[in-house]
Amino acid sequence: MTRSRLSSSPSSSTVSAAGLPLLRLQNVGKTYWTAAGPFVALENIDLEVAAGEFVCIIGHSGCGKSTLINMVAGFSAPTSGSITLKGQPITAPGPDRMMVFQNYSLLPWLTAFENVYLVVDQAYPDKSPSEKREIVQEHLELVGLAEAAHKRPKQLSGGMKQRVAIARALAVRPEVLLLDEPFGALDPITKEELQDELLAIWRDHRCTVLMITHDIDEALYLSDRVVMMTNGPAARIGEILTIPFERPRIRSRILEMPEFYELRHSALDFLYRRFAHVLD
Ligand code: ADP
Ligand code: MG
């Protein structure tokens, strides 16, 4: 594994203050059994994520990013290796790991409020209805949607729908927030607004974030480390960039920094020269 000269910490390992990584993927592989025979999507994935870290995963379409994050969510199991959260194997989805998808995944017949309430209701069976309503309201306010609580998804813009999905994920106070290309369908201005909101929420909640993106600039702006994957089949982690920018980050200042362009060049070189997508 090669490393950017800007990487300063161990390439795949970051350890929390307590000495253990929060999330640990060890030698993870995933094979799908298809009509055409076995298809090895991922191989030898080793990654450690510390509590409170913000990690982005980037790679070409089809390389296995969703496969990877779905295993962390517990939607599917690795074929080989292990994934643990605080030392415990991940075997099923749980409220300690909440996912935000690109396509919002809101129930269309429920209002924004009801979409969030549904998850809060399941996660806190011992709380009273008024306490649960308060949690929902608080999280809709957090994403600036208190006024739109009564609207159904078709009355909301893409950015608003994604805010509801983020509120829904955060309302159960997950330890790990998982995001699979959450801003991929949004226009550039809405996308930048949501990136800044996500950073503010992450700073206040101190959760750990694992986020997939196609967008190199987004990954560099948001994360502590950018994990770059090789192409599939049998995709691996090719290289990890450590992002040195101070927080809170100010977009206009970062865009003036030579280090930003050096990191951007490393990522572009990795994705478009060393692991260029060969179309067949
Ligand atoms: P990405 O999210 O990086 O675009 P995916 O994780 O969705 O990639 O897919 C990785 C590879 O695994 C692709 O070649 C895809 O066709 C294949 N794949 C994903 N899910 C399945 C499945 N359920 N059965 C068979 N192949 C799959
Ligand atoms: Mg995907």
Side-chain angles (χ1 to χ4, degrees), residues 84-95:
T84 55
L85 184 72
K86 293 202 282 197
Q88 297 301 311
I90 289 173
T91 54

Side-chain angles (χ1 to χ4, degrees), residues 21-93:
L22 180 78
L23 181 68
R24 177 180 255 168
L25 290 84
Q26 284 175 296
N27 202 20
V28 169
K30 179 72 176 182
T31 299
Y32 290 112
W33 273 267
T34 70
F39 176 81
V40 180
L42 296 172
E43 202 171 69
N44 298 119
I45 303 282
D46 285 303
L47 181 67
E48 293 182 356
V49 179
E53 224 190 335
F54 196 129
V55 172
C56 276
I57 299 177
I58 200 159
H60 287 292
S61 181
C63 76
K65 304 179 296 299
S66 294
T67 298
L68 186 65
I69 206 165
N70 285 337
M71 291 192 291
V72 176
F75 298 143
S76 80
T79 319
S80 57
S82 71
I83 306 181
T84 55
L85 184 72
K86 293 202 282 197
Q88 297 301 311
I90 289 173
T91 54

